[in-house]
Amino acid sequence: MRLNKAETRFIGNWAKTKERGQWRYILTRGLLWGGLVGFLSKLFQVWDALKAWDTGSLANTFASSDFVVRLLIYSVIGIGIHAYHWNTNTQRYNQLKNIERKTQAAANAPG
């Protein structure tokens, strides 16, 4: 069994990602995801307030403790999601590397 282009590309990309480290991957992507989702969810809440003409609730929208709690919750969720992604991608990488090794061994075998 040979690896296709996408699998070969995945092996190369994941090898580079692994060199940078697990915690860097999890924290940067998890915190970025959490910040983005927290910000977007707050924007949807602001949008609902604007549709209801409730301009008084918009005074300190992004300085409120609600926004900070939202960022923290989504960041923790993002870290969990990306820790799971790290584990599944590492398993996939190991499986593909085993297939690659077996293919190379079969190609180099005499006969």
Side-chain angles (χ1 to χ4, degrees), residues 51-106:
K51 284 188 344 187
W53 294 93
D54 184 14
T55 56
S57 68
L58 300 177
N60 292 324
T61 300
F62 291 100
S64 68
S65 62
D66 174 52
F67 180 63
V68 173
V69 169
R70 207 178 279 254
L71 284 177
L72 288 173
I73 289 171
Y74 286 123
S75 293
V76 168
I77 291 170
I79 288 170
I81 289 170
H82 286 87
Y84 174 77
H85 283 187
W86 176 271
N87 290 331
T88 56
N89 284 343
T90 300
Q91 287 176 353
R92 180 177 176 214
Y93 173 82
N94 290 336
Q95 289 171 348
L96 293 175
K97 285 299 281 185
N98 285 336
I99 292 170
E100 184 180 58
R101 283 186 207 107
K102 288 177 185 176
T103 304
Q104 288 175 352

Short mmCIF file of all heavy atoms in Angstrom, two decimals, residues 51-106:
data_model
loop_
_atom_site.label_atom_id
_atom_site.label_comp_id
_atom_site.label_asym_id
_atom_site.label_seq_id
_atom_site.Cartn_x
_atom_site.Cartn_y
_atom_site.Cartn_z
N LYS A 51 -30.65 45.12 17.71
CA LYS A 51 -31.93 44.85 17.06
C LYS A 51 -33.09 45.21 17.98
O LYS A 51 -34.15 45.61 17.52
CB LYS A 51 -32.03 43.38 16.64
CG LYS A 51 -31.22 43.07 15.41
CD LYS A 51 -31.41 41.70 14.82
CE LYS A 51 -32.06 40.66 15.62
NZ LYS A 51 -32.04 39.33 15.02
N ALA A 52 -32.89 45.09 19.29
CA ALA A 52 -33.93 45.41 20.26
C ALA A 52 -33.87 46.87 20.68
O ALA A 52 -34.60 47.29 21.57
CB ALA A 52 -33.81 44.50 21.48
N TRP A 53 -33.00 47.64 20.08
CA TRP A 53 -32.79 49.06 20.40
C TRP A 53 -32.41 49.27 21.85
O TRP A 53 -32.76 50.27 22.47
CB TRP A 53 -34.04 49.89 20.05
CG TRP A 53 -34.30 49.92 18.59
CD1 TRP A 53 -35.11 49.08 17.90
CD2 TRP A 53 -33.73 50.80 17.64
NE1 TRP A 53 -35.09 49.39 16.58
CE2 TRP A 53 -34.25 50.46 16.38
CE3 TRP A 53 -32.84 51.87 17.71
CZ2 TRP A 53 -33.90 51.12 15.22
CZ3 TRP A 53 -32.50 52.54 16.56
CH2 TRP A 53 -33.03 52.15 15.34
N ASP A 54 -31.68 48.35 22.41
CA ASP A 54 -31.23 48.43 23.80
C ASP A 54 -29.81 48.98 23.82
O ASP A 54 -28.85 48.26 24.07
CB ASP A 54 -31.30 47.05 24.45
CG ASP A 54 -30.95 47.09 25.93
OD1 ASP A 54 -30.90 48.18 26.51
OD2 ASP A 54 -30.72 46.00 26.49
N THR A 55 -29.67 50.26 23.55
CA THR A 55 -28.33 50.86 23.47
C THR A 55 -27.69 51.04 24.84
O THR A 55 -26.48 51.18 24.94
CB THR A 55 -28.40 52.22 22.76
OG1 THR A 55 -29.32 53.06 23.46
CG2 THR A 55 -28.82 52.06 21.32
N GLY A 56 -28.46 51.01 25.90
CA GLY A 56 -27.90 51.15 27.24
C GLY A 56 -27.01 49.98 27.62
O GLY A 56 -26.05 50.14 28.38
N SER A 57 -27.31 48.81 27.11
CA SER A 57 -26.51 47.63 27.46
C SER A 57 -25.20 47.57 26.68
O SER A 57 -24.36 46.73 26.94
CB SER A 57 -27.31 46.35 27.20
OG SER A 57 -27.52 46.19 25.82
N LEU A 58 -25.00 48.48 25.75
CA LEU A 58 -23.79 48.46 24.93
C LEU A 58 -22.67 49.32 25.48
O LEU A 58 -21.59 49.36 24.92
CB LEU A 58 -24.13 48.93 23.51
CG LEU A 58 -25.15 48.09 22.75
CD1 LEU A 58 -25.43 48.73 21.41
CD2 LEU A 58 -24.65 46.70 22.58
N ALA A 59 -22.90 50.02 26.57
CA ALA A 59 -21.93 50.98 27.09
C ALA A 59 -20.55 50.37 27.32
O ALA A 59 -19.55 50.86 26.82
CB ALA A 59 -22.45 51.61 28.38
N ASN A 60 -20.47 49.30 28.06
CA ASN A 60 -19.17 48.66 28.37
C ASN A 60 -19.18 47.21 27.91
O ASN A 60 -18.80 46.30 28.63
CB ASN A 60 -18.88 48.72 29.86
CG ASN A 60 -18.62 50.12 30.33
OD1 ASN A 60 -18.03 50.91 29.60
ND2 ASN A 60 -19.07 50.44 31.53
N THR A 61 -19.57 46.99 26.69
CA THR A 61 -19.78 45.64 26.18
C THR A 61 -18.55 44.77 26.32
O THR A 61 -18.60 43.67 26.87
CB THR A 61 -20.22 45.70 24.72
OG1 THR A 61 -21.43 46.44 24.64
CG2 THR A 61 -20.45 44.32 24.17
N PHE A 62 -17.41 45.20 25.81
CA PHE A 62 -16.22 44.35 25.79
C PHE A 62 -15.35 44.54 27.03
O PHE A 62 -14.35 43.86 27.19
CB PHE A 62 -15.42 44.59 24.53
CG PHE A 62 -16.13 44.08 23.30
CD1 PHE A 62 -16.82 44.93 22.47
CD2 PHE A 62 -16.13 42.73 23.02
CE1 PHE A 62 -17.48 44.45 21.35
CE2 PHE A 62 -16.80 42.23 21.91
CZ PHE A 62 -17.47 43.10 21.08
N ALA A 63 -15.73 45.45 27.92
CA ALA A 63 -14.99 45.64 29.16
C ALA A 63 -15.68 44.94 30.33
O ALA A 63 -15.20 45.00 31.45
CB ALA A 63 -14.84 47.13 29.46
N SER A 64 -16.79 44.28 30.08
CA SER A 64 -17.55 43.66 31.15
C SER A 64 -16.93 42.33 31.58
O SER A 64 -16.17 41.70 30.85
CB SER A 64 -18.99 43.42 30.70
OG SER A 64 -19.02 42.43 29.70
N SER A 65 -17.27 41.91 32.80
CA SER A 65 -16.78 40.63 33.30
C SER A 65 -17.39 39.48 32.50
O SER A 65 -16.77 38.42 32.38
CB SER A 65 -17.08 40.49 34.78
OG SER A 65 -18.47 40.49 35.00
N ASP A 66 -18.58 39.69 31.95
CA ASP A 66 -19.22 38.67 31.12
C ASP A 66 -18.33 38.32 29.92
O ASP A 66 -18.17 37.15 29.58
CB ASP A 66 -20.58 39.18 30.65
CG ASP A 66 -21.24 38.25 29.66
OD1 ASP A 66 -21.35 37.05 29.98
OD2 ASP A 66 -21.64 38.71 28.58
N PHE A 67 -17.74 39.32 29.31
CA PHE A 67 -16.88 39.09 28.16
C PHE A 67 -15.61 38.34 28.57
O PHE A 67 -15.18 37.40 27.89
CB PHE A 67 -16.52 40.42 27.49
CG PHE A 67 -15.63 40.27 26.30
CD1 PHE A 67 -16.05 39.58 25.18
CD2 PHE A 67 -14.36 40.82 26.29
CE1 PHE A 67 -15.23 39.43 24.07
CE2 PHE A 67 -13.54 40.70 25.19
CZ PHE A 67 -13.98 40.00 24.08
N VAL A 68 -15.03 38.68 29.70
CA VAL A 68 -13.82 38.01 30.18
C VAL A 68 -14.12 36.55 30.52
O VAL A 68 -13.35 35.65 30.16
CB VAL A 68 -13.23 38.76 31.40
CG1 VAL A 68 -12.07 37.99 32.01
CG2 VAL A 68 -12.79 40.15 31.01
N VAL A 69 -15.24 36.31 31.18
CA VAL A 69 -15.63 34.93 31.51
C VAL A 69 -15.86 34.14 30.24
O VAL A 69 -15.45 32.98 30.12
CB VAL A 69 -16.89 34.93 32.41
CG1 VAL A 69 -17.47 33.54 32.55
CG2 VAL A 69 -16.56 35.51 33.77
N ARG A 70 -16.50 34.76 29.27
CA ARG A 70 -16.76 34.13 27.98
C ARG A 70 -15.43 33.73 27.31
O ARG A 70 -15.29 32.62 26.80
CB ARG A 70 -17.50 35.12 27.10
CG ARG A 70 -18.36 34.56 26.05
CD ARG A 70 -19.05 35.71 25.33
NE ARG A 70 -20.20 36.21 26.04
CZ ARG A 70 -21.45 35.98 25.68
NH1 ARG A 70 -21.69 35.27 24.61
NH2 ARG A 70 -22.45 36.45 26.36
N LEU A 71 -14.46 34.65 27.33
CA LEU A 71 -13.15 34.34 26.75
C LEU A 71 -12.47 33.19 27.47
O LEU A 71 -11.88 32.32 26.82
CB LEU A 71 -12.25 35.58 26.78
CG LEU A 71 -12.53 36.66 25.76
CD1 LEU A 71 -11.58 37.84 26.00
CD2 LEU A 71 -12.37 36.14 24.35
N LEU A 72 -12.54 33.18 28.78
CA LEU A 72 -11.91 32.11 29.55
C LEU A 72 -12.56 30.76 29.26
O LEU A 72 -11.86 29.76 29.05
CB LEU A 72 -11.99 32.42 31.05
CG LEU A 72 -11.09 33.53 31.55
CD1 LEU A 72 -11.39 33.85 33.01
CD2 LEU A 72 -9.63 33.15 31.38
N ILE A 73 -13.87 30.72 29.25
CA ILE A 73 -14.57 29.46 29.01
C ILE A 73 -14.25 28.92 27.62
O ILE A 73 -13.90 27.75 27.46
CB ILE A 73 -16.09 29.63 29.20
CG1 ILE A 73 -16.40 29.82 30.68
CG2 ILE A 73 -16.85 28.43 28.64
CD1 ILE A 73 -17.83 30.22 30.98
N TYR A 74 -14.35 29.78 26.61
CA TYR A 74 -14.08 29.32 25.25
C TYR A 74 -12.61 28.97 25.04
O TYR A 74 -12.28 28.10 24.24
CB TYR A 74 -14.56 30.34 24.22
CG TYR A 74 -16.05 30.37 24.06
CD1 TYR A 74 -16.78 31.53 24.26
CD2 TYR A 74 -16.77 29.23 23.71
CE1 TYR A 74 -18.15 31.56 24.12
CE2 TYR A 74 -18.14 29.24 23.58
CZ TYR A 74 -18.83 30.41 23.77
OH TYR A 74 -20.19 30.43 23.64
N SER A 75 -11.72 29.64 25.75
CA SER A 75 -10.30 29.31 25.63
C SER A 75 -10.01 27.94 26.23
O SER A 75 -9.24 27.16 25.66
CB SER A 75 -9.45 30.38 26.32
OG SER A 75 -9.56 31.59 25.62
N VAL A 76 -10.62 27.63 27.35
CA VAL A 76 -10.44 26.30 27.96
C VAL A 76 -11.00 25.23 27.02
O VAL A 76 -10.37 24.18 26.81
CB VAL A 76 -11.10 26.25 29.35
CG1 VAL A 76 -11.18 24.82 29.88
CG2 VAL A 76 -10.35 27.13 30.33
N ILE A 77 -12.15 25.50 26.44
CA ILE A 77 -12.73 24.55 25.48
C ILE A 77 -11.81 24.39 24.28
O ILE A 77 -11.56 23.28 23.80
CB ILE A 77 -14.14 25.01 25.04
CG1 ILE A 77 -15.12 24.89 26.21
CG2 ILE A 77 -14.64 24.19 23.85
CD1 ILE A 77 -16.46 25.54 25.97
N GLY A 78 -11.26 25.50 23.77
CA GLY A 78 -10.35 25.46 22.63
C GLY A 78 -9.09 24.67 22.93
O GLY A 78 -8.60 23.91 22.09
N ILE A 79 -8.57 24.82 24.14
CA ILE A 79 -7.38 24.07 24.53
C ILE A 79 -7.71 22.58 24.56
O ILE A 79 -6.93 21.74 24.09
CB ILE A 79 -6.84 24.57 25.89
CG1 ILE A 79 -6.20 25.95 25.69
CG2 ILE A 79 -5.87 23.59 26.51
CD1 ILE A 79 -5.84 26.66 26.98
N GLY A 80 -8.88 22.22 25.08
CA GLY A 80 -9.30 20.82 25.11
C GLY A 80 -9.46 20.24 23.72
O GLY A 80 -9.02 19.12 23.44
N ILE A 81 -10.08 21.00 22.84
CA ILE A 81 -10.29 20.54 21.46
C ILE A 81 -8.95 20.31 20.77
O ILE A 81 -8.74 19.30 20.10
CB ILE A 81 -11.15 21.55 20.67
CG1 ILE A 81 -12.59 21.51 21.16
CG2 ILE A 81 -11.07 21.30 19.17
CD1 ILE A 81 -13.46 22.63 20.61
N HIS A 82 -8.03 21.24 20.95
CA HIS A 82 -6.75 21.12 20.25
C HIS A 82 -5.82 20.09 20.91
O HIS A 82 -4.95 19.54 20.23
CB HIS A 82 -6.11 22.50 20.09
CG HIS A 82 -6.81 23.28 19.02
ND1 HIS A 82 -7.92 24.05 19.29
CD2 HIS A 82 -6.62 23.34 17.70
CE1 HIS A 82 -8.35 24.58 18.17
NE2 HIS A 82 -7.58 24.16 17.18
N ALA A 83 -6.02 19.79 22.18
CA ALA A 83 -5.30 18.68 22.79
C ALA A 83 -5.78 17.37 22.17
O ALA A 83 -4.97 16.47 21.88
CB ALA A 83 -5.50 18.67 24.30
N TYR A 84 -7.08 17.27 21.96
CA TYR A 84 -7.65 16.09 21.30
C TYR A 84 -7.12 15.99 19.86
O TYR A 84 -6.73 14.92 19.41
CB TYR A 84 -9.18 16.16 21.31
CG TYR A 84 -9.83 15.07 20.52
CD1 TYR A 84 -9.93 13.78 21.03
CD2 TYR A 84 -10.35 15.31 19.25
CE1 TYR A 84 -10.52 12.77 20.30
CE2 TYR A 84 -10.95 14.31 18.52
CZ TYR A 84 -11.03 13.04 19.04
OH TYR A 84 -11.61 12.04 18.31
N HIS A 85 -7.08 17.12 19.14
CA HIS A 85 -6.55 17.13 17.77
C HIS A 85 -5.09 16.68 17.76
O HIS A 85 -4.68 15.96 16.85
CB HIS A 85 -6.66 18.52 17.15
CG HIS A 85 -8.03 18.86 16.71
ND1 HIS A 85 -8.31 20.00 16.01
CD2 HIS A 85 -9.22 18.25 16.87
CE1 HIS A 85 -9.60 20.06 15.76
NE2 HIS A 85 -10.18 19.00 16.28
N TRP A 86 -4.32 17.14 18.73
CA TRP A 86 -2.91 16.74 18.80
C TRP A 86 -2.80 15.22 18.90
O TRP A 86 -2.03 14.58 18.18
CB TRP A 86 -2.22 17.39 20.00
CG TRP A 86 -0.82 16.93 20.17
CD1 TRP A 86 -0.38 15.85 20.89
CD2 TRP A 86 0.35 17.49 19.57
NE1 TRP A 86 0.97 15.72 20.79
CE2 TRP A 86 1.46 16.72 19.99
CE3 TRP A 86 0.57 18.57 18.74
CZ2 TRP A 86 2.75 16.99 19.60
CZ3 TRP A 86 1.88 18.85 18.35
CH2 TRP A 86 2.95 18.07 18.78
N ASN A 87 -3.59 14.63 19.79
CA ASN A 87 -3.53 13.18 19.98
C ASN A 87 -3.97 12.42 18.73
O ASN A 87 -3.32 11.45 18.33
CB ASN A 87 -4.38 12.76 21.19
CG ASN A 87 -3.76 13.22 22.49
OD1 ASN A 87 -2.54 13.36 22.59
ND2 ASN A 87 -4.59 13.49 23.47
N THR A 88 -5.07 12.83 18.11
CA THR A 88 -5.55 12.11 16.92
C THR A 88 -4.59 12.30 15.75
O THR A 88 -4.34 11.35 15.00
CB THR A 88 -6.97 12.55 16.52
OG1 THR A 88 -7.00 13.96 16.33
CG2 THR A 88 -7.98 12.15 17.57
N ASN A 89 -4.05 13.49 15.58
CA ASN A 89 -3.09 13.72 14.49
C ASN A 89 -1.80 12.94 14.71
O ASN A 89 -1.20 12.45 13.75
CB ASN A 89 -2.80 15.20 14.32
CG ASN A 89 -3.93 15.94 13.64
OD1 ASN A 89 -4.80 15.35 13.01
ND2 ASN A 89 -3.94 17.26 13.77
N THR A 90 -1.37 12.82 15.96
CA THR A 90 -0.17 12.04 16.25
C THR A 90 -0.41 10.57 15.97
O THR A 90 0.46 9.88 15.42
CB THR A 90 0.27 12.26 17.71
OG1 THR A 90 0.54 13.66 17.90
CG2 THR A 90 1.51 11.46 18.06
N GLN A 91 -1.58 10.06 16.33
CA GLN A 91 -1.91 8.67 16.01
C GLN A 91 -1.92 8.44 14.50
O GLN A 91 -1.39 7.44 14.00
CB GLN A 91 -3.26 8.28 16.61
CG GLN A 91 -3.24 8.10 18.10
CD GLN A 91 -4.63 7.82 18.66
OE1 GLN A 91 -5.63 7.88 17.95
NE2 GLN A 91 -4.68 7.51 19.95
N ARG A 92 -2.54 9.37 13.77
CA ARG A 92 -2.58 9.25 12.31
C ARG A 92 -1.17 9.29 11.73
O ARG A 92 -0.83 8.51 10.84
CB ARG A 92 -3.43 10.37 11.72
CG ARG A 92 -3.53 10.31 10.22
CD ARG A 92 -4.43 11.39 9.67
NE ARG A 92 -4.42 11.34 8.22
CZ ARG A 92 -4.52 12.39 7.44
NH1 ARG A 92 -4.69 13.58 7.95
NH2 ARG A 92 -4.49 12.26 6.14
N TYR A 93 -0.34 10.20 12.23
CA TYR A 93 1.04 10.33 11.78
C TYR A 93 1.79 9.01 11.99
O TYR A 93 2.48 8.53 11.09
CB TYR A 93 1.72 11.47 12.55
CG TYR A 93 3.20 11.60 12.32
CD1 TYR A 93 3.69 12.26 11.19
CD2 TYR A 93 4.11 11.07 13.22
CE1 TYR A 93 5.05 12.37 10.98
CE2 TYR A 93 5.47 11.19 13.02
CZ TYR A 93 5.94 11.85 11.89
OH TYR A 93 7.29 11.97 11.69
N ASN A 94 1.65 8.42 13.19
CA ASN A 94 2.35 7.17 13.49
C ASN A 94 1.88 6.04 12.57
O ASN A 94 2.69 5.24 12.11
CB ASN A 94 2.17 6.79 14.96
CG ASN A 94 2.91 7.73 15.89
OD1 ASN A 94 3.89 8.37 15.50
ND2 ASN A 94 2.43 7.85 17.11
N GLN A 95 0.58 5.96 12.32
CA GLN A 95 0.06 4.93 11.41
C GLN A 95 0.60 5.11 10.00
O GLN A 95 1.01 4.14 9.35
CB GLN A 95 -1.47 4.98 11.39
CG GLN A 95 -2.12 4.50 12.67
CD GLN A 95 -3.61 4.76 12.70
OE1 GLN A 95 -4.14 5.50 11.87
NE2 GLN A 95 -4.29 4.18 13.68
N LEU A 96 0.60 6.34 9.51
CA LEU A 96 1.10 6.60 8.16
C LEU A 96 2.60 6.35 8.06
O LEU A 96 3.08 5.84 7.04
CB LEU A 96 0.75 8.03 7.73
CG LEU A 96 -0.73 8.32 7.53
CD1 LEU A 96 -0.96 9.80 7.22
CD2 LEU A 96 -1.33 7.45 6.44
N LYS A 97 3.34 6.70 9.11
CA LYS A 97 4.79 6.42 9.10
C LYS A 97 5.05 4.92 9.06
O LYS A 97 5.97 4.47 8.39
CB LYS A 97 5.47 7.05 10.32
CG LYS A 97 5.65 8.55 10.25
CD LYS A 97 6.51 8.99 9.10
CE LYS A 97 7.97 8.81 9.38
NZ LYS A 97 8.83 9.34 8.30
N ASN A 98 4.24 4.13 9.78
CA ASN A 98 4.39 2.67 9.74
C ASN A 98 4.12 2.14 8.33
O ASN A 98 4.85 1.27 7.85
CB ASN A 98 3.47 2.00 10.75
CG ASN A 98 3.96 2.16 12.17
OD1 ASN A 98 5.15 2.35 12.41
ND2 ASN A 98 3.04 2.08 13.12
N ILE A 99 3.09 2.65 7.69
CA ILE A 99 2.78 2.23 6.32
C ILE A 99 3.92 2.62 5.40
O ILE A 99 4.35 1.83 4.54
CB ILE A 99 1.45 2.86 5.85
CG1 ILE A 99 0.29 2.25 6.63
CG2 ILE A 99 1.26 2.66 4.35
CD1 ILE A 99 -1.03 2.97 6.41
N GLU A 100 4.46 3.82 5.59
CA GLU A 100 5.57 4.29 4.76
C GLU A 100 6.80 3.39 4.95
O GLU A 100 7.45 3.01 3.97
CB GLU A 100 5.90 5.74 5.13
CG GLU A 100 6.97 6.38 4.28
CD GLU A 100 7.25 7.81 4.71
OE1 GLU A 100 7.61 8.01 5.90
OE2 GLU A 100 7.09 8.71 3.87
N ARG A 101 7.10 3.03 6.18
CA ARG A 101 8.24 2.16 6.46
C ARG A 101 8.06 0.77 5.82
O ARG A 101 9.00 0.22 5.25
CB ARG A 101 8.45 2.01 7.97
CG ARG A 101 9.09 3.20 8.61
CD ARG A 101 9.39 2.93 10.08
NE ARG A 101 9.40 4.18 10.79
CZ ARG A 101 8.47 4.62 11.65
NH1 ARG A 101 7.44 3.85 11.92
NH2 ARG A 101 8.56 5.79 12.22
N LYS A 102 6.85 0.22 5.94
CA LYS A 102 6.59 -1.09 5.36
C LYS A 102 6.70 -1.04 3.83
O LYS A 102 7.23 -1.98 3.21
CB LYS A 102 5.19 -1.57 5.75
CG LYS A 102 5.09 -1.98 7.21
CD LYS A 102 3.68 -2.38 7.57
CE LYS A 102 3.56 -2.66 9.06
NZ LYS A 102 2.17 -2.97 9.45
N THR A 103 6.22 0.04 3.22
CA THR A 103 6.30 0.19 1.78
C THR A 103 7.76 0.28 1.33
O THR A 103 8.16 -0.34 0.35
CB THR A 103 5.52 1.44 1.32
OG1 THR A 103 4.18 1.35 1.77
CG2 THR A 103 5.55 1.60 -0.17
N GLN A 104 8.57 1.05 2.07
CA GLN A 104 9.98 1.18 1.73
C GLN A 104 10.71 -0.13 1.94
O GLN A 104 11.60 -0.49 1.15
CB GLN A 104 10.62 2.30 2.55
CG GLN A 104 10.20 3.68 2.15
CD GLN A 104 10.76 4.76 3.05
OE1 GLN A 104 11.36 4.48 4.10
NE2 GLN A 104 10.56 6.02 2.67
N ALA A 105 10.37 -0.85 3.00
CA ALA A 105 11.02 -2.15 3.26
C ALA A 105 10.68 -3.14 2.17
O ALA A 105 11.53 -3.92 1.72
CB ALA A 105 10.61 -2.68 4.61
N ALA A 106 9.43 -3.12 1.71
CA ALA A 106 9.01 -4.03 0.64
C ALA A 106 9.70 -3.67 -0.67
O ALA A 106 10.08 -4.55 -1.45
CB ALA A 106 7.50 -4.00 0.47
#
